[in-house]
Structure formats: structure tokens, C-alpha cells
């Protein structure tokens, strides 16, 4: 790895600062940089897991797909994180059970699977990083399953819109009905009907590839409905 990149990597992954010097030296020797263009797949369902990806910049979406092509987002991997499904597959000797694709241009560091195993045995800081990441992500995946199984779609849609609103300036979101359906594990036609209902109620205004939030307070009330 280029020595000039080591400082930023250390700041992104605190476990490298907390761990022994031997771990830092081993990490910078073993980790292989890789850059993915936007929308390129990092892993496909059924792929063998040869390396654990750690995100340095950008983000990747991990999702599953039903028999009819309907998608649901399990989680996203952002800078400072890794993919728990890949980690579990490496540790358990299994194939990747979902899909992982870069949302935008994404920079990764790939740690070979055999190295993952060795560091789990030899470096407590690495072991703690992997286990803590798996615990946090498992909790979020369980929350996603709970939402899909038990929460009304209009409430989930309100939560999604409010979450996206926090990530952008202004009140207009650049997104599509199909993209929202993939995020929420629904069908495009169903999402379109829900958004049209929101528009009639004055909650949003719909445009081509855009949704403008007109009444955030009403969406916040809606997100708490059962």
C-alpha cells in the first residue's frame, strides 16, 4: 500500500491505532486497494468469499432479491466499516448469500480470507473490530426484518423519506419510485400508489425523478403509526 495513504486509513479504522504495531504492519502489508466504479458489483449471490472488503471511501449496498426480482436492502457499508456477510462466510466457509454493489465510486481495502482467519486468532484488536461490527449490523438487519414483517408500508415510507431528507440540503430528494421499492422490499406500483396518496394529502409533491417533502411534521407523525 502507498505509504501516503496510511494516515487517512488509520483515522478511518480506529482498531489499527488501538492494536499492536504488529497488526498495523501486517495490515498495510496484506490489504490490497481496489476501486469500484458506481454500480459495479462487489459480490454476487453464490460467490466464494476470497477477501474481506473494508470501505475507505464511498459506500456499497448489500441486498437480497426474491424470485420475482423484488429487492430489499439489508444494509449499507460506509467508510470505516466492512461487510458482515462476507466476514461470516469467510469464518464459516460459506458462499455469499446476497448481492453487494457500489452505490457510487468506492475505494476498498481487501484482506485475504486466510489472513482474516489468522488475525482473528493472533490480534485481539482485529477480533474485536469484526465482532463489534457483526453485532451492530445484526441488530440493524433484525430491525429491517421487523419493519418489513410488521410495520405498515406508509409508516416505513415516511421513515425512508425523512431519513433521506436528513442527508440532503433543502426539501427535494432525487430518487425514483423503483429505487424506493428496492430499498423497502416492495413493488414499484405499490410505492407509486403510496406516494400518490401522500401527494393528495399534501405531504409531498412528485416530479420526474424527484420528491419534494412539503409537510415533514405530518410524515413524522405518520412514521409512528402501527
Amino acid at each position: 500500500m502507498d505509504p501516503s495513504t496510511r494516515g487517512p486509513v488509520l483515522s478511518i479504522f480506529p482498531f489499527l491505532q488501538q492494536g499492536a504495531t504488529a497488526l498495523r504492519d501486517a495490515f498495510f502489508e496484506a490489504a490490497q486497494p481496489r476501486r469500484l466504479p458506481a454500480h459495479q458489483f462487489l459480490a454476487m449471490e453464490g460467490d466464494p468469499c476470497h477477501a474481506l472488503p473494508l470501505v475507505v471511501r464511498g459506500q456499497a449496498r448489500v441486498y437480497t432479491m426474491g424470485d420475482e426480482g423484488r429487492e430489499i436492502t439489508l444494509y449499507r457499508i460506509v467508510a470505516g466499516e466492512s461487510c458482515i456477510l462476507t466476514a461470516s462466510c469467510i469464518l464459516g466457509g460459506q458462499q455469499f448469500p446476497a448481492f453487494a454493489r457500489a452505490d457510487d465510486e468506492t475505494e476498498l481495502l481487501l484482506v485475504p480470507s486466510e489472513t482474516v482467519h489468522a488475525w482473528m486468532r493472533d490480534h485481539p484488536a482485529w477480533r474485536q473490530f469484526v465482532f463489534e461490527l457483526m453485532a451492530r449490523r445484526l441488530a440493524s438487519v433484525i430491525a429491517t426484518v421487523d419493519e418489513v414483517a410488521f410495520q405498515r408500508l406508509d409508516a416505513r415510507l415516511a421513515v425512508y423519506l425523512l431519513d433521506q431528507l436528513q442527508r440532503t440540503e433543502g426539501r427535494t430528494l432525487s430518487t425514483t419510485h423503483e429505487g424506493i421499492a428496492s430499498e423497502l422490499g416492495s413493488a414499484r406500483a405499490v410505492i407509486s400508489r403510496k406516494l400518490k396518496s401522500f401527494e393528495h394529502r399534501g405531504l409531498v409533491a412528485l416530479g420526474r425523478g424527484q420528491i419534494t417533502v412539503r409537510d415533514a411534521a405530518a410524515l413524522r407523525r405518520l412514521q409512528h403509526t402501527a
Side-chain angles (χ1 to χ4, degrees), residues 7 14-17 20 32 36 41 46 55-56 67 77 95 109 115 119 126 137 142 155 157 162 166 170 201 214 221:
F15 76 88
L16 290 173
Q17 303 177 40
Q32 298 298 315
L36 293 180
F41 280 96
V55 175
V56 176
D67 293 338
I77 319 166
Q95 295 176 323
L109 292 172
T115 304
W119 290 353
W126 170 261
R137 190 64 71 196
I142 290 173
L157 180 56
L162 290 170
Q166 292 180 348
R201 295 159 63 182
R214 299 179 61 185
R221 291 194 295 271

Side-chain angles (χ1 to χ4, degrees), residues 84-95:
I84 63 162
L85 284 181
T86 304
S88 65
C89 291
I90 289 174
L91 297 176
Q94 304 295 315
Q95 295 176 323

Side-chain angles (χ1 to χ4, degrees), residues 21-206:
T21 302
L23 173 58
R24 289 194 294 275
D25 292 343
F27 182 87
F28 288 121
E29 181 177 351
Q32 298 298 315
R34 182 179 176 187
R35 178 172 296 177
L36 293 180
H39 311 307
Q40 180 170 319
F41 280 96
L42 175 59
M44 301 282 285
E45 186 177 39
D47 282 352
C49 296
H50 297 303
L52 181 65
L54 284 75
V55 175
V56 176
R57 182 178 66 85
Q59 67 176 11
R61 172 180 173 240
V62 180
Y63 64 96
T64 187
M65 184 183 298
D67 293 338
E68 298 179 355
R70 186 179 299 175
E71 299 176 3
I72 181 169
T73 300
L74 298 176
Y75 54 87
R76 278 184 163 80
I77 319 166
V78 298
E81 297 182 344
S82 185
C83 178
I84 63 162
L85 284 181
T86 304
S88 65
C89 291
I90 289 174
L91 297 176
Q94 304 295 315
Q95 295 176 323
F96 196 71
F99 299 88
R101 186 171 64 181
D103 279 338
D104 41 34
E105 186 177 74
T106 302
E107 294 180 8
L108 307 167
L109 292 172
L110 301 179
V111 179
S113 57
E114 61 273 15
T115 304
V116 172
H117 279 283
W119 290 353
M120 292 294 288
R121 181 189 64 241
D122 299 335
H123 296 293
W126 170 261
R127 188 164 57 245
Q128 182 176 358
F129 166 71
V130 173
F131 285 159
E132 287 183 351
L133 184 66
M134 293 178 72
R136 291 197 308 271
R137 190 64 71 196
L138 181 59
S140 69
V141 170
I142 290 173
T144 298
V145 173
D146 180 74
E147 290 171 2
V148 172
F150 304 115
Q151 193 175 37
R152 284 174 45 180
L153 182 58
D154 52 357
R156 293 171 53 216
L157 180 56
V159 170
Y160 175 82
L161 293 174
L162 290 170
D163 181 64
Q164 295 303 305
L165 193 63
Q166 292 180 348
R167 301 169 184 265
T168 187
E169 296 181 1
R171 290 179 170 268
T172 299
L173 311 175
S174 297
T175 186
T176 65
H177 298 192
E178 183 176 0
I180 296 174
S182 296
E183 292 289 333
L184 300 184
S186 185
R188 182 189 181 282
V190 175
I191 293 299
S192 294
R193 287 197 299 270
K194 289 291 184 182
L195 286 171
K196 201 66 179 176
S197 172
F198 281 12
E199 186 175 46
H200 287 323
R201 295 159 63 182
L203 307 184
V204 302
L206 304 180

